[in-house]
Amino acid sequence: ILDIEIEDDQIFRSIKACFAREGFAHTVIAFAASGIVLNTLSTYMDYLVTLGGSGRQAVGIIGGSFQVLVMLSSIIVGKITDKSRAYFHVVLALLVLGGFALAECGINLDAGRGDGLKASLLVAAVLIGPLQPVATELAVDVAFPLCSNTVLVIQQLVSNLCSALFIPFFQMVRNFGQEADGFQRPQYTFSFYLLIVIHAAAAVFFARFNGKYRRFEHEKRRKDEVSKEYDEERTALIT
């Protein structure tokens, strides 16, 4: 029992240490916003695709393509960002562009715009999918030298909890405001408004990011030290 208590205490101390780092909370919010959107769209993909007037066969095609695009875009954007180290700018750009993609999905909810809705969902997958791996890399950089596994667990925990709370609510308010102002709006219109608000709020909050790239600074410092040692050895051999 004593060992378990010590281990639990170490876990909570690690979590506290992560959130104590400036900018870490911003990465968690960006990660969670992406998780909420992706999990919600994946859960209700069949409703959304059929709402656009498509049949059941299209649900499997669009749903599978959605997941593949999330994976591919995450790999490609992740590799590019790892080379440039422009984590902040990439995350902020994806949050803003992802919000526009969600707005386009909301516009195309009408039954007569089925093709537009499917295209918008796939664009959303490309723009929102990479948010999670890039936000994780930024969080690891900010939290360095704290354990990267702890960082990922924290982000996934917050994301999954928020998704579990939001997903039922997304379905619950699908008919809200359908006949407001004398207009007949499609189902899920208000639900998509909420997704857009979540993404926009995450973008505004993340724009105030004030963390330091601790891992990058450490690697640069180490590289400079190795280079200096090499120069000293080379000078000593020459003289």
Side-chain angles (χ1 to χ4, degrees), residues 38-39 41-43 45 60-74 121-122 125 129:
L38 293 178
N39 291 334
L41 294 181
S42 298
T43 301
M45 184 64 67
I61 296 173
I62 299 301
S65 301
F66 184 89
Q67 299 301 330
V68 170
L69 287 174
V70 168
M71 181 180 65
L72 291 178
S73 62
S74 297
L121 288 170
L122 297 180

Side-chain angles (χ1 to χ4, degrees), residues 144-201:
F144 184 85
L146 298 174
C147 178
S148 58
N149 290 333
T150 303
V151 169
L152 182 58
V153 167
I154 292 172
Q155 289 186 322
Q156 288 182 334
L157 180 62
V158 174
S159 175
N160 290 338
L161 285 174
C162 292
S163 297
L165 292 172
F166 181 80
I167 287 174
F169 190 70
F170 182 86
Q171 173 81 353
M172 192 184 306
V173 298
R174 68 188 184 281
N175 295 321
F176 185 83
Q178 256 192 298
E179 298 180 1
D181 304 325
F183 293 99
Q184 183 70 25
R185 295 182 175 87
Q187 278 188 323
Y188 294 100
T189 298
F190 184 76
S191 300
F192 268 93
Y193 285 162
L194 294 180
L195 284 179
I196 296 168
V197 168
I198 290 173
H199 234 257

